[in-house]
Amino acid sequence: MYGWEMLSFNIHDGFLEAIVRGNRSGLLTAADYNNLCQCETLDDIKMHLTATEYGPYLQNEPSPLHTTTIVEKCTLKLVDEYKHMLCQATEPLSTFLQYITYGHMIDNVVLIVTGTLHERDVNELLEKCHPLGMFDSIASLAVAQNMRELYRLVLVDTPLAPYFSECITSEDLDDMNIEIMRNTLYKAYLEDFYKFCQKLGGATAEIMCDLLSFEADRRAVNITINSIGTELTRDDRRKLYSNFGLLYPYGHEELAVCEDVDQVRGAMEKYPPYQSIFNRISYGESQMLDKAFYEEEVRRLCLSFEQQFHYAVFFAYIRLREQEIRNLMWISECVAQNQKSRVHDSVVFIF
């Protein structure tokens, strides 16, 4: 019942909520980012990060550093924190935490299948997989020739199995089919997560449903823009949109028939939360759309910490850490490639 969580929440989940709120104070601030943007070399970045919570993970790394090393070690910190929370969690929080990793599982499946299609080495692909999305039989994905085999040989024993019901066809895997598979799986995953959060009720349902609705709407916009000029039909595009969110159902009908980015803008400007996002970018600047969406997502994630006694803080913290790692990767790449003039282009300040 909404409003009564405070009576019983702390019995099982109070300790972990305190841990995650404490971890949030370790996120990099605007001052940290300003200092990082002034760095001349990757060793300078390492030296600055050594004074933050990333210190124990980076301090023993020898020079010369590579961007991948910095990202790898920062991701390792996130994974360690996630595993610590999962070990301490009881139901239904443990299931909620597992749901957070399913998106990474989908990305890993797509990465392995796409890499195999282009004859890349499986071990090399496994190194690029996100550690939060690993599962026992992931290396076996390389043997599958079509969706049916992919499901029967590997995915039937993973948490992704229920999401594959709409994907199973006998068509051979190619780049277009793999991308459709990714978006169909994501649609099923988001809808399942949304229903699970609704079932939890209370403040968790209120905040998580808002965050997941934003994610579903962002994916609908990205699917529309990325499918313009491809052989994907309007009906096929419509099937990839999630059946919830602010844009559901009328916004989806408009997005399904859009033929250029300006039509997408026209459809989105009818929805005040998204009108402000599109107002920030000029016509013809669709490449800045991702950053605008990330900034809005970070704003919503930070707001979730304003309420207590709910699970959305765990989701928000993991997402904010992932955004922080994206920021560090961008800054490191700009420094490594001597492109410091572009260092602020994709950095999203969290606090």
Side-chain angles (χ1 to χ4, degrees):
M1 190 188 298
Y2 184 73
W4 291 88
E5 296 95 339
M6 65 185 76
L7 290 178
S8 59
F9 185 88
N10 284 347
I11 297 170
H12 295 296
D13 306 316
F15 171 69
L16 277 181
E17 190 191 13
I19 290 281
V20 84
R21 286 178 184 276
N23 285 346
R24 188 195 78 150
S25 64
L27 290 167
L28 299 180
T29 61
D32 289 318
Y33 284 119
N34 287 330
N35 289 334
L36 286 167
C37 291
Q38 304 301 318
C39 292
E40 296 292 334
T41 65
L42 292 182
D43 284 321
D44 291 346
I45 290 177
K46 174 192 162 185
M47 188 173 71
H48 182 78
L49 289 177
T50 305
T52 69
E53 290 194 356
Y54 292 114
Y57 293 86
L58 284 166
Q59 62 189 11
N60 295 323
E61 289 302 311
S63 297
L65 272 178
H66 297 284
T67 304
T68 48
T69 309
I70 293 174
V71 172
E72 214 174 89
K73 295 300 175 185
C74 293
T75 304
L76 183 60
K77 173 177 167 50
L78 169 64
V79 172
D80 285 349
E81 288 174 342
Y82 172 81
K83 285 180 177 173
H84 174 69
M85 290 190 290
L86 189 61
C87 288
Q88 301 280 345
T90 56
E91 286 294 344
L93 178 57
S94 55
T95 301
F96 180 88
L97 289 172
Q98 285 166 359
Y99 265 105
I100 295 174
T101 64
Y102 293 172
H104 294 300
M105 282 189 192
I106 293 169
D107 290 337
N108 286 354
V109 168
V110 171
L111 175 67
I112 297 279
V113 173
T114 308
T116 307
L117 188 68
H118 294 116
E119 298 179 350
R120 302 282 293 277
D121 180 55
V122 178
N123 291 324
E124 182 189 332
L125 294 168
L126 286 172
E127 286 175 13
K128 292 184 177 178
C129 286
H130 197 289
L132 283 181
M134 299 300 273
F135 50 89
D136 291 342
S137 52
I138 192 166
S140 313
L141 290 169
V143 301
Q145 299 298 314
N146 58 46
M147 308 278 189
R148 199 178 295 277
E149 280 186 23
L150 199 65
Y151 177 77
R152 185 174 59 82
L153 295 174
V154 186
L155 297 173
V156 70
D157 294 324
T158 71
L160 301 182
Y163 309 147
F164 251 82
S165 56
E166 293 178 41
C167 287
I168 299 177
T169 64
S170 297
E171 291 179 36
D172 285 344
L173 293 166
D174 59 32
D175 285 340
M176 177 65 116
N177 284 338
I178 290 169
E179 207 49 45
I180 290 172
M181 177 184 80
R182 181 209 295 271
N183 287 303
T184 309
L185 285 173
Y186 247 104
K187 173 191 173 182
Y189 157 59
L190 286 175
E191 288 175 0
D192 189 30
F193 198 4
Y194 187 83
K195 285 176 191 165
F196 177 75
C197 291
Q198 282 184 317
K199 207 184 296 179
L200 290 175
T204 299
E206 181 192 19
I207 299 167
M208 278 306 301
C209 288
D210 177 63
L211 293 173
L212 292 173
S213 294
F214 177 77
E215 178 72 14
D217 292 343
R218 176 171 61 179
R219 292 194 71 81
V221 172
N222 286 337
I223 288 166
T224 305
I225 292 173
N226 292 336
S227 62
I228 291 169
T230 66
E231 58 198 52
L232 201 67
T233 65
R234 290 175 179 179
D235 287 340
D236 288 341
R237 188 192 288 178
R238 176 71 185 78
K239 285 176 192 169
L240 298 176
Y241 301 152
S242 300
N243 294 325
F244 67 94
L246 185 62
L247 299 178
Y248 175 77
Y250 303 111
H252 290 173
E253 299 299 334
E254 290 190 57
L255 286 176
V257 298
C258 289
E259 291 178 359
D260 59 45
V261 177
D262 290 338
Q263 287 181 7
V264 174
R265 177 192 283 267
M268 296 299 287
E269 284 180 344
K270 296 171 186 173
Y271 299 87
Y274 302 125
Q275 183 183 21
S276 61
I277 291 175
F278 278 84
N279 285 345
R280 282 184 239 162
I281 55 175
S282 309
Y283 283 88
E285 279 192 347
S286 58
Q287 69 273 19
M288 297 301 291
L289 188 59
D290 278 345
K291 184 182 179 184
F293 269 122
Y294 279 136
E295 286 172 342
E296 175 63 18
E297 182 187 34
V298 163
R299 186 187 72 80
R300 292 177 184 229
L301 293 171
C302 290
L303 282 176
S304 69
F305 284 92
E306 300 299 316
Q307 272 181 264
Q308 271 189 297
F309 312 118
H310 61 88
Y311 292 163
V313 289
F314 298 96
F315 177 83
Y317 176 71
I318 299 283
R319 284 300 180 90
L320 288 173
R321 271 288 181 212
E322 286 170 356
Q323 180 59 53
E324 185 171 272
I325 292 166
R326 278 194 293 273
N327 288 344
L328 290 172
M329 181 166 72
W330 177 262
I331 293 169
S332 301
E333 284 291 357
C334 287
V335 169
Q337 295 175 28
N338 203 20
Q339 296 281 332
K340 287 192 66 183
S341 57
R342 298 189 57 202
V343 79
H344 286 286
D345 286 2
S346 287
V347 173
V348 177
F349 293 120
I350 295 173
F351 294 114

